[in-house]
Amino acid sequence: MNGTPRLRSAYPSTPQKSNERNGSEAATSLPNVPLPTLSTHQHDPQAPLIPFSLIDGPNQRLYVAFFYLGLTIWRLCDYYGLVSDETDSLWLFMKWVAIDSIFLYGLPGLKIPWLQWSSTSITMLFIGHAIFDAVLMFRISIPLETWLVAFVRMFYDRELAVSERRVKPANVLHNASLILGKQIIHILPEGSATLNPDQTAFCINSLTTSVHLPIQLNQTNPILIELLRIDIDTNSNETIAIHAKEIRRLKKQTQKQLSGRDAVAPRYLQYSVKQTGLYRLQRVVDESKLEVQRRLSDTLVVQCPSAHMRSVTETKCIGDLSNFYLQVDATPPINIKYSKLVNGQESGHAVLSIPPKNTISPLTTQRSSGALVTRESVANVDVSWARSQSTTISLNESLGISGHWEYSIDEVQDGCGNVVNYAKHRLADSQGRHPTNAAPLEQRFSVHERPRAALQGCDSQHPLRAPKGKSVRLPIQLSSTGPDSTKQGMHRFSYLFTPFAEVQLNQEHGQIAALREFELEPHGAGHEVHEPGLYTLQSVQSAYCTGEVLEPSSCLLSNPPEPSLSIETQVIPDRCAGNSVGLLVDLDLTGTPPFHVSYSERRSGGSVTPRVVETHLLHTQLELKPAHSGHYKYEFQYISDAIYQEPRTLRDRGFILEQDVKPPASARFLDAYPARKTCIGEPVSLGVQLLGDAPWKLEYELVHHGRRQKRKKDGIESDIYTLTTDNLNSGGEYSLALTAVTDKSGCKVSLEQETKIEVALQRPKAAFGLVEGQRTISALDDKKVKLPLRLQGESPWTIQYRNLAHAGDAPTTRLFRKSNDEIEVKEAGTYELVHVDDATCPGNVDAVANRFSVDWIPRPGVQVSESAAIELQQDRYVKKGICEGDEDAVDIAFTGTPPFDVEYIHHVKPEGGSQSTSTKKFTAGINLASVRMETTEAGSHQYKISKLSDLSYNHNPRKFSPVLIEQLVHSRPMATFSDGGKTYKYCKEEEAGGENVPISLKGSPPFHLEVEIRHHSSSKPELITIPNIETHQYNLHIPHRLLALGTHAVRIRKVRDAHGCQRRMDQGAPHVQVNVAEVPGITAQESRTDYCVGDRISYTLSGIPPFNVFYTFQGQERKASASTTNFRRLAEKPGEFTVTAITDQRSVDCKAHTSITKVIHEMPSVRVSKGRTATVDIHEGGEAEILFEFGGTPPFEFTYTRSSNPPKGKKSQVLDTKSDISYEHSKSVLASDEGIYEVVSIKDRFCAFSTQRAQGKSGQKLLT
């Protein structure tokens, strides 16, 4: 902008800051050198008087404008004082000339941009201000009002008419409705006919045996129509003739369908055909025996497309291909749409496109016309491409999911556009509306999982062993690729078998391997085999599918050797007494471990005791050391191993041993294992079994933390002794050991019997844990809450607790296995721990942490604050009624966790009109909200709080009860003058009586009314207060004491009804006037009696303006006002205009009665073609009738023109002008030329009107 050239007379540019210059320009035009530093003390002669740093340029100009506006207001105030107070004009003129000179000549000194004018400009402005001061101060008269009125009329030209409303004179003088209508005559071309203009597709089948071909007729009435049909199958052709009788029948059918529609629109004849083929409109002859123009358009009627499934087997295995077929019969190209359902879930849609076979079809090419066959001669036309082709489509899709698969044909479309929707047909079949014996449209599959088989627990490293001659079951593990492996019935297996002797060293099958088969139930134990050898699974097959053999698939079956036994014995002597205390038996075993050797033990005089030795070794030792003395006999009876589990007798081997023993003293704990557990501070009792001869002396010791306490007990007579320790007051592990025992023989025997005693370090303890530092929790209602437990001791713990809210109930007992476990509760309350036991000891409950409080976070709730203005009535709150438009609100308190989301329904039943309902929402950030009541519409208002949610809870309709609030909004009262704008007349000399001013009131009585009466010369109004008006209609009587000579304006200031609702009326509200005046006079300015609509009727008035002129027009009494002594009205409508009375400023009801009658004649009018634009189409040489209808007083003279029919966007040219006369109100003229006929002028007996205005003259006049 800084580079824009300026004229010398232009305003100087506003100074700009240095940092606002164009950065790119500075970067390219300035060299990269340091700029010189300017001194801040240099004075710029162009700088403004007030620095821009203090006040910038635009604000300085704004302050100067405000100062100049203040001077102008001051100047006008002096002018007003001059007019009212007759102040000296010369002094004021000199004063303002001096002020203007100081302002104008001092302004350039401020050096404000755009206000630095040249001396010549300042002088011219000063001269202009001096002239303006002289005009004001010396009160020089200037016709400003005339100039202003002329200027306003350029934009707003309105004039009072005889109907006392302002009208635009141009609308009356140039009333376009006087000449209405025109007739357009077209010379029609030849008519036309089209077959199937919309190119609709048609097909027939067994259900649809015929179709209706539409033939469009445009501006023709044919008597013969010929259709050419080319047979699709044979290419032969035939001509179908539709004669006049059939055409009339088709027209009647069409006419019924066109009832209520545009009759000029093209007609369609629906001709029914029942054969397939290509149809063409060959010839159309109209009533004039001439052929009608045909539009080349071919229509195909083919066989409707159809499709069905070629059913295949419905049983498939997972991984198989679907491998089914779709059979489609249709005219190519074909589109077929099918869908797929897998286990009831839609799995997608597919669309297949099938092109024509070995032919080129015009249906696949782009055509510029509707013709499918381009040759005019049909002798050798080939339409074989339109024949229905049968196509088989193979659909192969991998079935990767087991279950139920279903393919369905949804839709098939042929090349002509015919569509058959099988999805709708299936719906109709399911509802029983169509037969279900049609070709199949669905292909269903049951897809089964494939079985899998493997050998479990038998492979190359772990052969299967069985006794000789015994059978075993092959450990076959059966599974599948999915979850339904055990639901497919009997399974068939095949395996390869090689005898054990023929198995190769690498455990491969030999040359004589045999293939065998067997069947097995899904839950069968396996296939029994007894021949030793190599077994390998080859295949598995379920009832539906062939499966897969997994590894391990081979198993070697062998027959191990039978078990055997050999024994050797050795005597065990007593080192103290020298007696035998037992035998040591060496057992040598052969077979497959583990071995079980059964033998019997018999003591002399006692019973036989069976015993069993189990060993995993091939050589083991057996000590036979009886606990009691006597003669003992041992017999080894049976042996078995892992393979030969059936015991085999050894009695034939004679394995019998005998001995006499006297065992030494001994002692052992009866229950040494597991370690005994006890509580701290309690003793432990253990049972001890003593062997030998009584009495016994027992020595033992108790070891704890490295300290040993030795004890002994003498004189024990019983062989079962209960050993009780002292109180174990220290926690930890104790070892109780039997060190020695001495019996009657006196031989002391050292012992190695020891048991462990675990003493708890402390008693178990239970307490509630902390949640966020406290033992209270607030949770959502109806949610499970987990209370933390802190348990000390040994798991598991048995806890008893209770809810203090149900103190009378028995405590709840539960078992806990974690030291930091949780109690799950569903009810609020304070939970108390009652008792605790761990796995060993009873414990204590922490008295400080034995209680835990559970509180529910309160659900959000809403409550309306009751007061004197709102109260609860039954199930709703009723708020005190309020006046329409007044502000009102209701306070709502919430309970819960803010913020709150509130939704309420506002239902309005207005006093008049239809009810309405709206839903509103708001969010309250605190627990208190104020809802603004809708008072803009009077009526019954209902607010229903229907939904409420807070930070913790979503809205739950089962937990929340809606809140209803009702309020009645009273409409504000209304007071209006029944005759608003009416002027009531009073005579000055009448001291009593007078007219009443009717006032209409709306609202609830009684009313309180305040009326203002203001005289035109007084600024202070008089007020009348009328209380207790019990009716809706009130007649106001104005006291004469409030009326003076002149005009009074009566206005309603405010009104109040019984509800206390008050309405203050606007200043611009309708009011009435009261005039008190003397009798005026009126005289017509013209002596003539007849006028035309659009003329002006003028009168001269005598009296004191303004005047009220009373007249009758069209039988209706009217009143007009005139502010000057001239009364003029525009003759807007026809009728008799009679002045009956007049009043002026001095009169109210004292009218000067007179009778001056003027007759206003209506302008002549003409209607062409009923006042509409009518288009008449005729053939060459024909004639059309033009009807002219006149309005007015005959005779009528009129002029009409014929213009050309212009193309779109161009103007028509007048071709011919004719004049005619009619003595009636209508006349018909015949015309045969093409064009637009319209009237341009009309004249009757009194008046004339023309649309072609002469230069300088109006388009209408009064004829004399």
Side-chain angles (χ1 to χ4, degrees):
M1 294 295 293
N2 294 339
T4 304
R6 294 181 177 271
L7 299 177
R8 296 183 59 188
S9 60
Y11 289 114
S13 60
T14 301
Q16 307 214 354
K17 299 181 181 179
S18 60
N19 58 356
E20 295 178 355
R21 66 179 59 181
N22 190 299
S24 61
E25 179 183 348
T28 56
S29 63
L30 294 180
N32 189 14
V33 296
L35 297 176
T37 304
L38 297 179
S39 173
T40 59
H41 300 285
Q42 292 181 352
H43 179 69
D44 186 2
Q46 297 298 327
L49 183 63
I50 301 175
F52 288 141
S53 59
L54 184 61
I55 303 176
D56 58 8
N59 282 330
Q60 291 189 29
R61 290 191 290 272
L62 180 64
Y63 295 152
V64 170
F66 284 157
F67 183 76
Y68 181 76
L69 180 62
L71 291 178
T72 304
I73 295 174
W74 185 13
R75 192 193 324 267
L76 295 177
C77 290
D78 285 350
Y79 170 72
Y80 179 77
L82 178 66
V83 173
S84 59
D85 300 335
E86 296 294 335
T87 311
D88 188 2
S89 299
L90 180 61
W91 184 87
L92 290 176
F93 170 72
M94 295 176 62
K95 166 186 170 182
W96 281 106
V97 168
I99 292 174
D100 289 338
S101 64
I102 294 172
F103 175 75
L104 293 175
Y105 285 102
L107 186 60
L110 298 177
K111 297 181 180 180
I112 300 174
W114 297 2
L115 298 181
Q116 301 182 46
W117 300 317
S118 63
S119 299
T120 303
S121 300
I122 296 296
T123 303
M124 294 302 295
L125 289 174
F126 172 72
I127 294 173
H129 280 72
I131 294 174
F132 181 66
D133 293 338
V135 170
L136 288 181
M137 302 311 164
F138 292 110
R139 292 182 289 179
I140 298 174
S141 177
I142 297 177
L144 293 177
E145 183 178 357
T146 304
W147 297 348
L148 182 61
V149 170
F151 178 75
V152 170
R153 282 191 174 180
M154 293 174 61
F155 305 98
Y156 182 81
D157 186 12
R158 294 291 187 272
E159 196 171 327
L160 280 173
V162 291
S163 59
E164 286 308 309
R165 65 185 184 95
R166 291 192 175 273
V167 297
K168 193 173 183 179
N171 293 341
V172 179
L173 296 174
H174 312 296
N175 188 0
S177 64
L178 296 176
I179 300 178
L180 292 178
K182 57 184 176 181
Q183 185 157 319
I184 302 174
I185 298 177
H186 286 299
I187 303 298
L188 285 178
E190 294 296 330
S192 63
T194 307
L195 176 64
N196 191 17
D198 298 330
Q199 295 296 306
T200 306
F202 297 98
C203 69
I204 59 177
N205 56 16
S206 59
L207 297 178
T208 305
T209 57
S210 64
V211 295
H212 293 84
L213 301 182
I215 303 174
Q216 184 190 57
L217 302 177
N218 187 19
Q219 301 177 357
T220 183
N221 290 316
I223 61 174
L224 175 64
I225 299 175
E226 291 183 354
L227 293 177
L228 174 67
R229 185 184 79 87
I230 303 176
D231 190 89
I232 295 175
D233 297 324
T234 63
N235 289 331
S236 61
N237 62 81
E238 65 171 330
T239 300
I240 302 172
I242 308 174
H243 296 285
K245 182 178 180 181
E246 180 69 11
I247 293 174
R248 286 194 297 271
R249 185 184 65 83
L250 296 177
K251 283 183 179 180
K252 289 181 180 179
Q253 294 178 356
T254 303
Q255 198 65 33
K256 292 179 181 179
Q257 298 175 358
L258 287 177
S259 58
R261 301 183 186 177
D262 188 0
V264 185
R267 289 178 296 179
Y268 288 85
L269 303 183
Q270 302 292 335
Y271 183 69
S272 176
V273 298
K274 297 183 179 181
Q275 291 180 299
T276 60
L278 186 144
Y279 289 83
R280 172 179 288 183
L281 195 62
Q282 181 168 282
R283 192 162 72 103
V284 179
V285 179
D286 65 1
E287 295 173 334
S288 60
K289 307 296 183 179
L290 298 176
E291 286 196 16
V292 177
Q293 180 182 0
R294 294 170 291 110
R295 296 182 183 177
L296 190 58
S297 176
D298 294 336
T299 299
L300 270 177
V301 179
V302 298
Q303 287 290 333
C304 289
S306 64
H308 65 275
M309 298 283 189
R310 285 175 52 183
S311 298
V312 297
T313 176
E314 296 186 355
T315 300
K316 298 284 184 179
C317 297
I318 192 167
D320 288 350
L321 297 177
S322 56
N323 194 23
F324 68 98
Y325 302 92
L326 297 178
Q327 184 74 33
V328 185
D329 297 308
T331 300
I334 307 169
N335 289 329
I336 182 169
K337 180 179 179 182
Y338 68 93
S339 60
K340 178 175 64 177
L341 291 178
V342 179
N343 291 326
Q345 299 293 326
E346 186 172 318
S347 185
H349 299 267
V351 178
L352 302 176
S353 296
I354 306 172
K357 296 180 182 178
N358 305 321
T359 184
I360 298 176
S361 173
L363 298 177
T364 60
T365 60
Q366 185 174 5
R367 293 172 284 132
S368 58
S369 66
L372 295 173
V373 178
T374 57
R375 302 167 109 191
E376 290 296 333
S377 175
V378 297
N380 299 316
V381 171
D382 182 13
V383 292
S384 60
W385 47 265
R387 297 171 187 169
S388 179
Q389 295 183 3
S390 181
T391 306
T392 301
I393 306 170
S394 175
L395 295 180
N396 273 326
E397 180 181 0
S398 178
L399 306 176
I401 301 175
S402 62
H404 297 282
W405 290 56
E406 180 179 343
Y407 292 84
S408 303
I409 300 175
D410 294 335
E411 184 179 280
V412 61
Q413 179 180 357
D414 64 6
C416 301
N418 297 296
V419 178
V420 176
N421 193 321
Y422 289 110
K424 294 181 179 179
H425 291 179
R426 282 197 298 274
L427 179 61
D429 292 344
S430 64
Q431 297 176 353
R433 295 199 297 264
H434 292 312
T436 58
N437 55 357
L441 300 175
E442 295 91 9
Q443 175 64 56
R444 297 182 177 88
F445 294 115
S446 293
V447 181
H448 302 277
E449 300 286 350
R450 292 184 180 272
R452 290 176 175 175
L455 296 177
Q456 183 179 17
C458 182
D459 54 25
S460 59
Q461 302 298 324
H462 303 85
L464 191 64
R465 299 175 181 178
K468 295 179 181 179
K470 299 291 185 181
S471 63
V472 294
R473 296 184 182 273
L474 282 177
I476 298 175
Q477 182 182 16
L478 184 62
S479 62
S480 81
T481 55
D484 64 341
S485 60
T486 62
K487 300 180 180 179
Q488 299 185 9
M490 187 72 71
H491 287 66
R492 178 176 293 276
F493 297 84
S494 66
Y495 66 91
L496 200 62
F497 171 71
T498 298
F500 189 82
E502 302 296 330
V503 176
Q504 300 181 8
L505 295 178
N506 58 356
Q507 291 194 357
E508 294 292 337
H509 287 278
Q511 297 180 354
I512 61 172
L515 184 65
R516 301 178 182 179
E517 293 183 352
F518 64 93
E519 291 184 350
L520 187 66
E521 291 285 346
H523 297 287
H527 179 61
E528 290 189 355
V529 295
H530 64 278
E531 296 179 73
L534 182 60
Y535 294 83
T536 301
L537 288 177
Q538 295 295 310
S539 66
V540 58
Q541 183 177 358
S542 68
Y544 308 103
C545 304
T546 300
E548 179 183 5
V549 176
L550 305 178
E551 294 296 333
S553 61
S554 296
C555 181
L556 181 64
L557 175 61
S558 63
N559 296 138
E562 296 182 3
S564 63
L565 172 68
S566 63
I567 62 175
E568 292 182 358
T569 63
Q570 183 180 353
V571 177
I572 302 174
D574 183 2
R575 289 176 295 177
C576 177
N579 301 322
S580 174
V581 296
L583 288 176
L584 182 62
V585 182
D586 291 328
L587 302 178
D588 293 320
L589 302 163
T590 58
T592 304
F595 300 95
H596 292 81
V597 179
S598 301
Y599 68 95
S600 63
E601 178 184 335
R602 176 177 290 182
R603 182 184 179 189
S604 59
S607 60
V608 177
T609 302
R611 299 188 184 278
V612 178
V613 177
E614 180 180 358
T615 179
H616 291 267
L617 304 176
L618 296 177
H619 176 79
T620 187
Q621 285 185 335
L622 175 64
E623 282 189 350
L624 302 178
K625 294 175 65 175
H628 302 280
S629 59
H631 179 77
Y632 290 87
K633 182 179 181 179
Y634 305 91
E635 181 181 3
F636 289 88
Q637 299 173 340
Y638 302 100
I639 185 173
S640 64
D641 64 1
I643 304 302
Y644 298 89
Q645 296 181 0
E646 184 177 350
R648 297 178 177 270
T649 182
L650 296 174
R651 291 181 178 180
D652 56 349
R653 301 290 300 274
F655 292 148
I656 298 176
L657 304 177
E658 295 185 8
Q659 70 171 340
D660 292 319
V661 296
K662 189 176 183 181
S666 179
R668 69 181 183 87
F669 289 112
L670 294 177
D671 48 359
Y673 300 99
R676 182 66 61 89
K677 296 181 180 180
T678 186
C679 302
I680 190 170
E682 294 182 356
V684 176
S685 296
L686 295 171
V688 178
Q689 182 182 19
L690 300 172
L691 301 177
D693 297 328
W696 290 274
K697 176 183 177 182
L698 181 63
E699 297 179 13
Y700 63 92
E701 63 182 6
L702 186 64
V703 181
H704 177 58
H705 289 174
R707 298 178 59 186
R708 296 177 180 270
Q709 296 180 4
K710 295 185 178 182
R711 299 283 190 275
K712 63 176 61 176
K713 182 66 176 176
D714 298 330
I716 301 174
E717 296 292 338
S718 174
D719 59 351
I720 300 300
Y721 173 70
T722 299
L723 178 62
T724 302
T725 66
D726 298 333
N727 290 337
L728 306 179
N729 296 320
S730 178
E733 185 180 74
Y734 287 79
S735 295
L736 180 61
L738 301 180
T739 58
V741 62
T742 305
D743 64 354
K744 182 179 180 181
S745 64
C747 291
K748 182 177 180 181
V749 179
S750 297
L751 301 175
E752 295 181 356
Q753 288 287 320
E754 183 178 347
T755 186
K756 299 293 184 181
I757 302 174
E758 294 181 3
V759 180
L761 297 176
Q762 62 180 2
R763 290 188 177 273
K765 187 177 181 180
F768 280 118
L770 298 176
V771 176
E772 297 182 356
Q774 55 186 357
R775 291 183 180 86
T776 60
I777 188 172
S778 295
L780 296 179
D781 191 8
D782 291 339
K783 299 293 183 181
K784 294 181 180 180
V785 179
K786 295 182 178 180
L787 308 182
L789 285 177
R790 300 295 178 260
L791 304 176
Q792 298 177 6
E794 185 177 355
S795 176
W797 291 267
T798 302
I799 302 294
Q800 293 183 355
Y801 65 91
R802 62 185 174 186
N803 189 344
L804 296 182
H806 307 289
D809 297 345
T812 303
T813 302
R814 285 187 58 191
L815 188 67
F816 298 91
R817 298 187 180 276
K818 299 178 183 179
S819 58
N820 293 293
D821 218 321
E822 296 173 331
I823 298 177
E824 190 176 85
V825 298
K826 298 182 180 178
E827 296 182 0
T830 300
Y831 289 85
E832 181 183 43
L833 297 177
V834 178
H835 185 70
V836 60
D837 290 332
D838 67 356
T840 305
C841 306
N844 301 319
V845 175
D846 191 343
V848 177
N850 66 333
R851 294 187 178 182
F852 203 107
S853 296
V854 178
D855 296 326
W856 296 143
I857 297 175
R859 285 189 173 273
V862 62
Q863 184 176 4
V864 179
S865 303
E866 295 189 47
S867 62
I870 186 170
E871 60 180 6
L872 180 64
Q873 295 182 3
Q874 295 180 353
D875 59 343
R876 63 196 62 200
Y877 291 90
V878 178
K879 189 167 178 59
K880 185 178 179 181
I882 195 169
C883 299
E884 179 183 5
D886 287 353
E887 291 291 333
D888 196 11
V890 61
D891 293 332
I892 298 177
F894 300 102
T895 58
T897 307
F900 302 92
D901 293 325
V902 185
E903 179 178 312
Y904 66 92
I905 300 172
H906 179 207
H907 179 76
V908 183
K909 185 177 181 182
E911 292 181 351
S914 59
Q915 303 182 19
S916 63
T917 301
S918 61
T919 301
K920 300 182 179 180
K921 300 178 180 179
F922 69 90
T923 300
I926 58 175
N927 292 79
L928 187 64
S930 181
V931 178
R932 180 177 174 272
M933 313 298 282
E934 293 291 340
T935 61
T936 56
E937 186 176 7
S940 177
H941 293 249
Q942 185 186 74
Y943 305 83
K944 180 181 179 181
I945 302 178
S946 57
K947 293 184 180 180
L948 176 64
S949 60
D950 64 356
L951 184 64
S952 302
Y953 296 93
N954 293 325
H955 175 70
N956 188 343
R958 294 179 299 175
K959 300 286 186 177
F960 178 74
S961 298
V963 177
L964 293 177
I965 304 173
E966 291 183 350
Q967 186 181 37
L968 187 62
V969 178
H970 304 292
S971 59
R972 291 187 178 274
M974 186 67 184
T976 57
F977 292 106
S978 300
D979 299 321
K982 181 179 178 180
T983 302
Y984 295 87
K985 308 300 180 182
Y986 284 83
C987 296
K988 179 60 180 176
E989 53 272 11
E990 291 187 9
E991 297 297 336
E995 293 183 89
N996 291 328
V997 180
I999 298 176
S1000 299
L1001 300 164
K1002 293 182 180 179
S1004 301
F1007 299 96
H1008 185 278
L1009 191 65
E1010 185 175 302
V1011 180
E1012 172 188 302
I1013 302 174
R1014 185 190 299 272
H1015 193 269
H1016 75 282
S1017 62
S1018 175
S1019 61
K1020 183 179 179 180
E1022 298 287 343
L1023 299 180
I1024 301 176
T1025 301
I1026 306 139
N1028 299 326
I1029 300 175
E1030 297 293 342
T1031 61
H1032 290 84
Q1033 198 72 27
Y1034 180 73
N1035 292 322
L1036 173 65
H1037 177 73
I1038 303 176
H1040 280 78
R1041 59 182 176 81
L1042 301 177
L1043 299 176
L1045 184 64
T1047 303
H1048 300 74
V1050 182
R1051 186 176 66 88
I1052 300 173
R1053 294 190 64 175
K1054 61 183 178 181
V1055 61
R1056 186 174 67 248
D1057 66 357
H1059 296 298
C1061 298
Q1062 177 176 293
R1063 183 187 296 272
R1064 185 176 293 275
M1065 312 305 290
D1066 297 333
Q1067 289 290 337
H1071 62 280
V1072 297
Q1073 290 185 343
V1074 175
N1075 284 340
V1076 180
E1078 295 181 357
V1079 177
I1082 183 170
T1083 305
Q1085 294 182 358
E1086 294 178 296
S1087 59
R1088 61 174 175 154
T1089 305
D1090 296 313
Y1091 289 81
C1092 293
V1093 172
D1095 290 343
R1096 292 173 175 83
I1097 305 174
S1098 302
Y1099 298 89
T1100 301
L1101 307 178
S1102 61
I1104 299 176
F1107 298 91
N1108 290 326
V1109 179
F1110 298 87
Y1111 62 91
T1112 58
F1113 180 67
Q1114 293 181 340
Q1116 183 179 359
E1117 295 184 357
R1118 302 176 185 270
K1119 181 182 71 173
S1121 299
S1123 59
T1124 64
T1125 57
N1126 289 325
F1127 176 70
R1128 187 177 70 171
R1129 287 294 182 267
L1130 180 66
E1132 176 194 11
K1133 299 178 182 178
E1136 283 194 359
F1137 183 84
T1138 302
V1139 178
T1140 58
I1142 182 175
T1143 63
D1144 64 357
Q1145 185 180 14
R1146 297 169 298 182
S1147 65
V1148 179
D1149 290 332
C1150 300
K1151 301 177 182 178
H1153 293 280
T1154 184
S1155 179
I1156 304 175
T1157 301
K1158 305 292 183 181
V1159 179
I1160 303 173
H1161 300 280
E1162 66 175 345
M1163 296 296 296
S1165 62
V1166 60
R1167 302 287 187 271
V1168 182
S1169 300
K1170 302 294 183 180
R1172 296 178 297 178
T1173 299
T1175 301
V1176 179
D1177 298 327
I1178 63 175
H1179 291 283
E1180 188 72 30
E1183 290 184 332
E1185 181 185 23
I1186 304 175
L1187 175 63
F1188 299 93
E1189 296 175 309
F1190 305 100
T1193 305
F1196 301 97
E1197 296 182 14
F1198 63 98
T1199 302
Y1200 63 94
T1201 63
R1202 180 176 67 89
S1203 304
S1204 61
N1205 291 324
K1208 186 176 182 181
K1210 295 185 179 180
K1211 294 183 178 180
S1212 62
Q1213 302 291 330
V1214 177
L1215 304 177
D1216 192 10
T1217 303
K1218 294 182 179 181
S1219 297
D1220 205 343
I1221 188 169
S1222 174
Y1223 295 94
E1224 303 294 336
H1225 283 84
S1226 64
K1227 186 170 185 177
S1228 296
V1229 176
L1230 295 177
S1232 60
D1233 296 328
E1234 184 178 50
I1236 302 174
Y1237 292 82
E1238 53 188 341
V1239 176
V1240 295
S1241 66
I1242 178 68
K1243 180 173 67 174
D1244 69 350
R1245 180 179 177 183
F1246 297 101
C1247 305
F1249 178 78
S1250 175
T1251 57
Q1252 298 177 339
R1253 300 177 57 187
Q1255 184 176 2
K1257 296 183 180 180
S1258 172
Q1260 60 189 30
K1261 63 180 181 178
L1262 176 67
L1263 303 178
T1264 56

